Amino acid sequence: LTGSHHPSNQVEQCKSPPSTVGKQGNMSSEPGNCQNHQDHDPDHGDAGPAKQTMPMPVPNLEVQYTKIFIDNEWHESCSGRKMPVHNPATGDLLCEVEEADTEDVDKAVQSARAAFQLGSPWRCMDASDRGLLLNRLADLVERDRLRLATLEALDSGKIFLMAYFVDLMATVKTLRYYGGWADKIQGKTIPVDGEYFTYTRHEPIGVCGQIIPWNFPVMMFAWKIAPALCCGNTVIIKPAEQTPLTALHMACLIKEAGFPPGVVNVLPGYGPTAGSAIAHHMDIDKIAFTGSTAVGKLIQKAAGDSNLKRVTLELGGKNPNIVFADCDLEYAVEQAHSGLFFNQGQCCLAGSRVFVEDSIYEEFVCRSAEKARNKVLGNPLVPGVDQGPQIDQKQFDKILELIESGKKEGATLECGGGPWNRNSLFIQPTVFSNVTDDMRIAREEIFGPVQQIMRFRSVNEVIQRANATHYGLAAGVFTNDIDKALTVSSALQAGMVWVNCYNAMSTQCPFGGFKMSGNGRELGEYALQEYTEVKAVTIKISQKNS
Amino acid sequence: MLRIVLSRTLPRISGISNCQYSAAAIPVPSAQPEVHYNKLFINNEWQDAVSKRSFPTINPATGEVICQVAEADKADVDKAVKAAREAFRFGSPWRRMDASDRGLLLSRLADAIERDTAYLAELETLDNGKPYAVSYSVDVPMVVKCLRYYAGWADKWEGKTIPIDGDFFCYTRHEPIGVCGQIIPWNFPLLMQAWKLGPALATGNTVVMKVAEQTPLTALYVASLIKEVGFPPGVVNILPGMGPSAGSAIASHMDVDKVAFTGSTEVGHLIQQASGSSNLKKVTLELGGKSPNIIMSDANMAEAVEQSHFALFFNQGQCCCAGSRTYVQDTIYDEFMERSVERAKSRVVGDPFNMKTEQGPQVRNTEQFKKILGYISSGKREGAKLMCGGGVAADRGYFIQPTIFGDVQDGMTIAREEIFGPVMQILKFKTLEEVVERANDTKYGLAAAVFTKDIDKAHYISSGLRAGTVWINCYDVFGAQAPFGGYKYSGNGRELGEYGLDNYTEVKTVTIKVPQKNS
């Protein structure tokens, strides 16, 4: 459902000093550089770029946290049920985790409600101190970065180095970014008519339910809790049943950082039980969901059926990536490739409809297929591997079914097209050319390593075709022509448009969808609106003056 | 730290409600902290003055020399400006750095200062004379908070995209101004440094800072931390020196893009003039005040007395926002006076390293010391009633007794001029309208306060007062989040808060022709 910074850029940054370092290599390095290092001891003075080594996964990592986290304590599930958690790369059972259901949700809501009471430590806390707690949490994530990245790779099958350099980096940056916002969420004083003085208070909404997906488990966790906490809400968060482990480790760090009990509660569980209980709960004031459009509709309905809780949704996409003939071809091929294949294609942002201008179409297809063929599949913990397994059997089967439909409906299979390594969840990097807009692979979200390349002739045609979808999450445009870039980027119905780049995300920049891709925005200043109620206070005064 | 986060108990001696601390947590200070840095800090290196001159810095509690400090002059300012200009060059590490990384550097600076709180507080007390308990619990924590606050702004200072008429796409970039000269005073050496550096660095400027010749030591130590945490060379340059030489060279420099000054109104005039006669550099000024503090008869008496005492006597009276005209409604005047005198008489004056001390010496500045005593004489001469104090408080050092004048009239010198010492003026008033008019009858407009339980009076007075800050039922409440600055002769521009960023930003409007505009 989501992507992140362009992966190869990130890895490059960690291998060589970014250009910003310039000549002062002997100084303790500038922070952008330092953050990319494995060696992150703040006390070290001179970790020159030459000394850097690649991070390695923690060997024989033992899972420490497997219970439900309520009121800063670990609980067993009320039902006594547990759920298995597997390593998708091997099929091995990693551990069993307590399975939350309705009763556990009720307990968590009670705890979150108590933490939100007027006069509670959390409500009375200075905003700057909420920010300080988020900053401390970021420090702790940095300290445990290797462990979290290893856990993430084991649990989700994503490439360890990506987890380390992309997911964990984004997690730390998101926490720090919202740490900074906490005491900058400013109300206004408003020049109303009449003898009144009016001001607004930006108050937290209350108890927020948050349901997150399995494709970027720890990063989604940070995207959700950081704005909620910086605004002063309390949280009940349900990680995906496939990938609960990093969320539970985060719970432990939340306690260590010093958040008061009940402010964050983490409940591993399934959607139809725990997720549904959150969505229908009469004492949850707001729900934020990231996942499929189908489930997004259920969430919206549940809010309507229950207490009209506020809803924000980050849902699916079928994102157009438009490549004009005047672009830098090699670069565009590379960006379109990573724009689709990043994270095993399991991104809501995946550029899954690549529209290529007629005159460069053959060349583009040929180079794209070559890139896909060169991908190295295998154990995500091993350096040099580009692609891990899909998350589970259900997703695996769905992707293969869509690949078959592409073949049947007449698209040209350029490479891949089936499973890799029998009895596993790996799928060959697959490229289809001569895809037409009506094919299923051009209309449905595949969420796997399957790239569709279409042909177009004119600007107006491609705008119209790119927008002919019920999704509207992201889009890309590759061109060196400033007029085309600005025309296409304003015409596309999408929450993010990238010009001459793809997946270029940062915590400062809002993220969210038009149309059926969602509702509301995450990240950036915009996300704060999703976690605040505005209260207008008007006071009668004896005499108004400007 | 968590205790500080969670407990909201306010210590008695601090009226600054945002600075929470527990007196029990203050470590026993060393009264003779070692001085590590006494040179000029240019381009992340320690340098002697080009002239090789130095000046002594003095412990105001004893009058003894602490050490010699390199004395910057015009030639050193030129060197520092060159370094700052180079650090600001298009394509430099500082210019290319992610905004969030500028924020991270500021955060790390805050962490380093927090780590060295005890040492910095000792040094501040040694050099400035303020009580150690205050340096430790008020000044340094506020410095840390200010830097953390602006660290957060670095990547949140957003330009806009603007729906202009026609087929155009228009956006603004918030760009740093460039090389900023900053001249800071001796009354809150560390805190003023943070107020200046925080917004300037968060927005990406480079800095040439002149610190007051009376109190250069803590700023130089912070310079070493700036280097330690990894700011690129030339981004911050710190020059101890005198106003008429180094200060003037900054204000008149043709390659300094902006100057920010905190100090007297008199020197503020000179700074503005220097900008006009040189390169029209942008100017922000935080200057003097003669701030009214209005006590209505319905106020909580005990609270009003304590806060008014704090409003004037805090920091030995050396605050630009000192509540130096206390207007008390006639029906409670006598009781207020009696209690205020009692409170002033109980004020503990003495060795600033003693934990019980509330008031240390005035800053070592013979002229300033004489000036305060001169004002006290003028008060007596012009007919004000000396209620307590009125003289020097020790036979060495620069101590002055907490002094209160009653029956002060608006026309008296002590009611019109900034004294900048522990001398409180209490004036009587009858009506709301009268007091607002009298409170505003000054060339200054920095701060003001009103004590009342009546919501209408509170609003009437707070909107009627011509002052940049108005406190209601409190005084000297500073948060890094809230802007601070003066009306009229008290200054120009605002520091702190989001407003503080404006003074360090050039707005660039970029307009691009597009083939066809759509909403």
Side-chain angles (χ1 to χ4, degrees), chain B residues 354-509:
Chain B
N354 186 321
M355 289 297 184
K356 293 205 176 73
T357 297
E358 291 176 284
Q359 181 175 318
Q362 308 308 118
V363 163
R364 192 274 313 180
N365 184 329
T366 313
E367 199 182 315
Q368 182 69 24
F369 188 71
K370 283 188 191 148
K371 203 168 129 190
I372 297 168
L373 295 175
Y375 277 122
I376 292 175
S377 312
S378 89
K380 294 180 199 164
R381 210 172 41 240
E382 293 178 20
K385 194 169 164 192
L386 182 68
M387 306 300 295
C388 65
V392 298
D395 52 7
R396 68 167 194 168
Y398 296 86
F399 295 88
I400 293 182
Q401 294 171 342
T403 299
I404 295 184
F405 280 110
D407 295 341
V408 177
Q409 303 301 314
D410 293 354
M412 294 178 182
T413 309
I414 54 170
R416 304 207 66 78
E417 296 185 16
E418 188 174 36
I419 301 174
F420 230 65
V423 185
M424 183 179 196
Q425 287 62 241
I426 302 185
L427 306 90
K428 192 185 289 190
F429 76 92
K430 283 201 174 66
T431 71
L432 208 58
E433 290 74 15
E434 171 207 337
V435 77
V436 170
E437 196 185 318
R438 289 172 62 193
N440 285 336
D441 180 23
T442 166
K443 65 177 189 175
Y444 293 113
L446 193 57
V450 52
F451 285 81
T452 176
K453 282 185 182 157
D454 185 311
I455 192 171
D456 278 340
K457 288 178 192 161
H459 278 113
Y460 180 85
I461 294 182
S462 60
S463 52
L465 290 169
R466 306 269 297 154
T469 296
V470 179
W471 289 294
I472 300 176
N473 294 331
C474 53
Y475 207 97
D476 272 352
V477 175
F478 284 93
Q481 303 88 359
F484 179 79
Y487 281 40
K488 303 192 276 184
Y489 282 62
S490 285
N492 205 333
R494 291 293 178 271
E495 296 191 288
L496 299 187
E498 183 174 0
Y499 295 88
L501 301 169
D502 288 325
N503 293 317
Y504 288 95
T505 309
E506 291 279 18
V507 175
K508 179 184 282 176
T509 303

Side-chain angles (χ1 to χ4, degrees), chain A residues 147-192:
Chain A
R147 176 169 284 272
L148 279 161
T150 307
L151 208 53
E152 195 80 322
L154 286 172
D155 200 7
S156 75
K158 68 171 60 200
I159 305 300
F160 167 76
L161 286 176
M162 291 295 163
Y164 187 86
F165 285 113
V166 180
D167 300 60
L168 267 302
M169 159 98 74
T171 299
V172 169
K173 287 201 168 192
T174 301
L175 293 170
R176 285 202 203 290
Y177 176 76
Y178 284 106
W181 267 123
D183 62 355
K184 299 172 185 71
I185 302 166
Q186 301 169 140
K188 303 177 182 195
T189 64
I190 299 173
V192 291

